Amino acid sequence: MSSAYLIGAQRRTGAASFTGIEAATGKALDGDFAITTADDIAQACALAGAAFDAYRETTPEARAAFLDAIAAALEARAEAIVARAMLESGLPQGRLNGELGRTTGQLRLFAKVLREGDWAGAIIEPALPERQPLPRPDLRARQIAVGPVAVFGASNFPLAFSVAGGDTASALAAGCPVVVKAHPAHPGTSLLAGEAIAEAVAACGLPEGVFSLIQGPGNDIGTALVANPHIKAVGFTGSRGGGLALIAVAASRLEPIPVYAEMSSINPVLLFPAALAARAEDLGRAYVGSLSLFAGQFCTNPGVVVALDSPDLDRFLGAASEALKGVAPQVMLTGGIAAAYARGIETLSGADGVAVLAAGPDGDAQCGAARLLAVDADDLLSNPALTHEVFGPSSLVIRCKDAEQIVAVLEGLEGQLTATLHIDEADYPLAAPLLPILERKVGRILANGWPTGVEVSRSMVHGGPFPATSDPRTTSVGAMAIHRFLRPVCYQALPDALLPDALKAGNPLGLPRRQFD
């Protein structure tokens, strides 16, 4: 008997199944997982549609309690979830324990956001019947949920960007039912997390269509999910090709819908002269630690470094090269990702003007070996493809002749999630003119750190211009992520009895409201 997927409160098993794969060996794990049928995908979406109006009008406190209940249910399954995720992802126990904590933490953050109430965007402009030359009617506005959301699990975060991750948490907080397409590399992890959410749905007395989990390899399941007319928005973290394919499906519907896709980023790091002069070796070692962390499988991995050519840059590269030679090969998330990384390194290292400065030891086919490469800005500017993402533990250092060439390199980059400045006070005059360029190119600018840590907070922006994301106005991490799944509605001259509670005269929900004369 194959393991079930979750269609609302119902556990279903299909005739076809697939197996989980152990990331470290490439071998099949015990247990089969049922592939969701087309009929069950349609039923999951229909249940979500049927649940929508009731769920979106639950009180903020009820939804907050639901998110808290999911977090508690995940923690009750922590040992089993982490054990299975270790097998399916190849990530170590400590990393996955931390990721589970991040997952429950962001669920509880959105519970706090709901209780604070600013997300509702309640605005009241009372009627001005005596205003000249025309009276003003009573006008009130609030944010409401957009509808059922399709969420796609990510390969590199089997917990925090997957079944119970940030897209699911923010959509549920907004009042949107969610249908999750589990990543096929994590079927067991996904089912355990999905069961935790289903348990919370039942415990909180919510409609069963608030959550469903569908499973299976290939593209057909995801395409059918996004094409279903009940689905009103999509959350996706993955490759540029995968994101663009879903965007095409969503745009071709009779009712096109938004796809909030986080896709591709190389996260430039700028090294400034005074900072290099003061601590080149320390920066080189820290850089290798960031680019190789967990086999470089982060969307914020520092994929390129930009700096003026100088003896201090040589010091940085010498320290980085020595550090990188000691980076052991690490298991990558899937065999496909490992193979794509190997192809990307082969293409990049064979390009004109690119030199391999250092290489970590090679491993087996499931592993990614660290690589440090360098190129002169002249060669890079004549071949922009050199800045395409290679997902894994590698990075390219770009040597620039002068400040004008740094500007040219930055202007030629695509949209990114992050940019990092390593600066001392003496570098401020050189750095200041670059900030407007970086603001146009990235979603987060940081100084004297490394981009591979993303705080889950109210001010965090984990987004950026295309192809970092499909909509640069949004973030997939932090409290502002809820706004992807809300839209404004204005109520003109409605009697108080017909207004939603968020806008009634007595403010029964106790929401913060902006009132204008």
Side-chain angles (χ1 to χ4, degrees):
M1 177 68 69
S2 58
S3 295
Y5 48 84
L6 308 175
I7 305 301
Q10 306 160 53
R11 297 176 64 90
R12 297 286 183 82
T13 57
S17 64
F18 69 111
T19 59
I21 301 296
E22 185 175 13
T25 65
K27 297 178 180 179
L29 292 166
D30 292 339
D32 293 331
F33 292 87
I35 297 173
T36 308
T37 67
D39 286 346
D40 280 344
I41 295 170
Q43 184 178 6
C45 296
L47 286 170
F52 174 53
D53 280 337
Y55 180 62
R56 72 182 176 89
E57 290 302 339
T58 53
T59 66
E61 176 55 39
R63 294 203 298 282
F66 173 42
L67 297 178
D68 286 339
I70 296 173
L74 289 168
E75 289 168 343
R77 293 166 169 78
E79 184 176 352
I81 288 173
V82 169
R84 182 71 189 196
M86 288 172 64
L87 294 173
E88 292 180 336
S89 70
L91 295 170
Q93 183 177 13
R95 151 70 194 269
L96 289 167
N97 281 331
E99 190 182 329
L100 182 60
R102 172 174 168 166
T103 305
T104 58
Q106 62 196 8
L107 285 160
R108 291 183 171 118
L109 171 65
F110 282 109
K112 291 179 182 177
V113 168
L114 285 171
R115 291 178 173 118
E116 290 163 356
D118 290 343
W119 60 274
I123 301 173
I124 297 175
E125 295 180 288
L128 299 175
E130 305 301 325
R131 190 186 67 174
Q132 295 296 325
L134 293 172
R136 183 180 76 189
D138 184 271
L139 296 170
R140 298 170 186 240
R142 66 164 178 158
Q143 299 284 330
I144 70 165
V146 298
V149 173
V151 170
F152 286 75
S155 65
N156 60 336
F157 279 85
L159 304 175
F161 277 86
S162 291
V163 174
D167 287 342
T168 296
S170 54
L172 292 175
C176 300
V178 171
V179 180
V180 174
K181 165 62 173 70
H183 195 283
H186 314 138
T189 306
S190 297
L191 183 58
L192 287 166
E195 288 172 340
I197 299 176
E199 177 185 288
V201 170
C204 294
L206 298 172
E208 64 169 322
V210 166
F211 175 78
S212 290
L213 174 71
I214 63 178
Q215 296 252 36
N219 299 325
D220 292 348
I221 291 175
T223 297
L225 177 59
V226 174
N228 189 281
H230 290 290
I231 297 299
K232 302 303 181 186
V234 179
F236 171 84
T237 299
S239 69
R240 187 189 307 202
L244 291 178
L246 295 181
I247 290 168
V249 173
S252 67
R253 293 172 28 142
L254 289 177
E255 178 199 7
I257 58 173
V259 176
Y260 299 107
E262 182 204 318
M263 296 176 288
S264 176
S265 187
I266 56 170
N267 309 295
V269 174
L270 282 73
L271 303 176
F272 288 88
L276 273 177
R279 52 186 183 278
E281 288 82 6
D282 287 344
L283 286 171
R285 289 185 286 269
Y287 162 59
V288 169
S290 181
L291 75 88
S292 64
L293 184 66
F294 300 119
Q297 297 169 116
F298 287 100
C299 41
T300 53
N301 195 51
V304 296
V305 168
V306 182
L308 293 173
D309 198 6
S310 70
D312 291 324
L313 178 60
D314 292 337
R315 290 168 50 214
F316 167 86
L317 293 173
S321 296
E322 284 303 310
L324 188 132
K325 291 174 185 177
V327 174
Q330 299 174 70
V331 173
M332 300 197 78
L333 294 159
T334 69
I337 289 173
Y341 173 69
R343 291 192 300 271
I345 289 297
E346 182 178 5
T347 299
L348 186 59
S349 60
D352 290 344
V354 175
V356 179
L357 299 184
D362 289 325
D364 60 28
Q366 303 301 120
C367 292
R371 294 289 187 271
L372 177 62
L373 307 100
V375 66
D376 290 339
D378 287 332
D379 291 312
L380 180 121
L381 292 170
S382 65
N383 185 6
L386 295 179
T387 60
H388 289 178
E389 182 182 33
V390 178
F391 189 66
S394 71
S395 191
L396 177 68
V397 177
I398 304 167
R399 297 177 178 267
C400 297
K401 293 182 294 188
D402 50 34
E404 288 74 19
Q405 203 163 51
I406 292 177
V407 170
V409 168
L410 295 180
E411 289 285 11
L413 292 178
E414 297 179 309
Q416 307 293 332
L417 293 171
T418 74
T420 301
L421 314 177
H422 281 280
I423 54 174
D424 283 353
E425 187 171 354
D427 297 313
Y428 293 175
L430 179 58
L434 303 179
L435 287 173
I437 301 172
L438 297 178
E439 288 172 339
R440 287 191 277 107
K441 294 287 182 176
V442 312
R444 176 166 60 108
I445 302 169
L446 56 152
N448 295 328
W450 299 99
T452 42
V454 181
E455 182 72 20
V456 180
S457 67
R458 287 167 176 77
S459 56
M460 177 52 60
V461 174
H462 191 63
F466 182 88
T469 61
S470 56
D471 188 338
R473 299 168 298 177
T474 65
T475 176
S476 61
V477 175
M480 291 187 288
I482 194 174
H483 296 294
R484 298 173 298 171
F485 306 121
L486 295 167
R487 67 177 181 86
V489 176
C490 177
Y491 303 82
Q492 180 171 327
L494 263 70
D496 193 70
L498 296 181
L499 284 170
D501 286 348
L503 300 176
K504 288 183 185 296
N507 194 9
L509 297 179
L511 294 173
R513 309 199 298 193
R514 300 171 64 199
Q515 183 158 332
F516 300 89
D517 295 332

